[in-house]
Amino acid sequence: MGPEWVAILALIALFVVGTVLPINMGALAYVAAWLVGMYSLHLSEKEILAGISGDLVLTLIGVTFLFAIARNNGTVDLIVAGAVRAVRGRVALIPWVMFAVTAILTAIGAVSPAACAIIGPIALGFAAKYKINPLMMGMLVVHGAQAGGFSPISIYGTITNSVMADNGLPNSELTIFFSSLAVNLALAAILFVVLGGRKLLGRRAEQIEPTDGEKKRASRDQILTLVAFVGVAVVALAFDKNIGFVAITAAVILAIVSPVKNKDAAKQVAWPTVLLVAGVSTYAAILTEAGSPQFVGKWAAGLGAAVLGALVLCYVGGVVSAFASSAALLPVIIPIALPLIAHGHLSAGLFVAALAVSSTIVDVSPFSTNGALMLANRPDTIAEPVYYKQILTYSVIVVLAGPMLVWAALVAPGW
């Protein structure tokens, strides 16, 4: 058995074990990288560890450190409270406020499950209070998280853009971001219409008044944090500076300004995600060394047309990600697409966008963290078995139809 097959079988085993057992897939990936690298590819341990992307790991640490400070000093609560008051009793706008706030949080660096964990309970509480369909509300939160999830300074965006740069693909940051934004916005609009959103248009709730705590002016730390978010985006994008260094610098400055309040912020960095991405990016390098991406890519291209191979990969991304980590899948599936991009006359930016969107819109699944969070925070107005069945039914529809529709919108027209 050739090394490319060994690496592929180890990858399948990695995803199966990581899905069935509550073990961080990054830790499993490190074990797989060591065993496959040492005993199949005969690499040294130093060569195996060279595959990790230090740039990506620094970005994850810096961005989530900054977001932890924002959560500690109430900046996140300030954003949510302000957005909710802005609807002024218009019930039909509440689901869209939740969509927008979750999108903003992931766009500025929140890990998708963290944003859903923060906004989900608030959104579903509003659903119960104002008789809004809970499935609509919960799924709009998840789609909001994915809508902002591929901004150039977001976690998913950073992972995808780093993998593209490492593989010599052209910069397509905005193409990927706006593709994800458009697809998730379209799905949210369909949900809104189908699940009774039009019936909410004429309804007004009691005026949502700020609490005594919310009536206070924004604190110094909150203002500085908002300025920091804007500053990070401007410096990283306009001046083309490393987002990891910029984010961690902003976080350290905020920590110096309020050292006591932020002394535990470093403990809130998304360390499980850091381990996940570090391990998987290391194993992705092992896959490349073994020639597995080229092997799979040639197989997909051999289906008769590169565009059909692209569709197969979109479905692979969607099905696997419905049960496993999207962040873990992206560094693996993008290199597999390289032969199709090189020989199939496919747009690199649009193809990668299709893979990225297909692999993340399925996070509505109750087997993924985001979908599970919505299930866990269901309102008392609906029984758990009923809500679970609703989420499962919707996720099956998305898994079956989503990759096809994304492929048809982004890949097929330009082939």
Side-chain angles (χ1 to χ4, degrees), residues 3 29 36 96 175 197 218 234 278 366 388:
V36 174
W96 291 108
T175 298
V234 171
Y388 170 77

Side-chain angles (χ1 to χ4, degrees), residues 132-206:
I132 301 171
N133 187 302
L135 179 64
M136 179 226 293
M137 186 69 96
M139 295 303 97
L140 255 67
V141 170
V142 178
H143 282 305
Q146 308 311 339
F150 284 93
S151 84
I153 62 173
S154 68
I155 301 299
Y156 285 161
T158 300
I159 293 171
T160 304
N161 298 329
S162 296
V163 173
M164 289 188 71
D166 291 344
N167 286 278
L169 297 177
N171 185 306
S172 303
E173 294 179 348
L174 295 181
T175 298
I176 295 170
F177 172 45
F178 285 117
S179 296
S180 180
L181 177 62
V183 169
N184 282 282
L185 185 61
L187 289 173
I190 292 170
L191 279 171
F192 183 81
V193 172
V194 172
L195 297 179
R198 289 175 294 180
K199 296 179 181 177
L200 304 176
L201 292 175
R203 286 174 47 193
R204 296 185 70 88
E206 298 175 6

Side-chain angles (χ1 to χ4, degrees), residues 102-125:
T102 316
I104 291 170
L105 293 181
T106 54
I108 61 179
V111 180
S112 180
C116 288
I118 292 167
I119 304 303
I122 299 171
L124 290 168

Side-chain angles (χ1 to χ4, degrees), residues 69 72-74 219-221 255 258-265 268:
I69 291 176
N72 284 351
N73 63 27
S219 68
R220 178 201 64 175
D221 288 350
S258 298
V260 176
K261 184 180 294 185
N262 295 313
K263 63 186 177 76
D264 293 327
Q268 299 172 46

Side-chain angles (χ1 to χ4, degrees), residues 341-364:
I341 294 171
H343 306 296
H345 307 292
L346 300 176
S347 164
L350 290 175
F351 187 12
V352 171
L355 287 175
V357 175
S358 297
S359 301
T360 51
I361 57 172
V362 296
D363 283 356
V364 295

Side-chain angles (χ1 to χ4, degrees), residues 23-32 275-276 279-280:
I23 302 174
N24 187 295
M25 209 171 290
L28 293 170
Y30 267 127
V31 174
L275 173 59
L276 171 69
V280 171

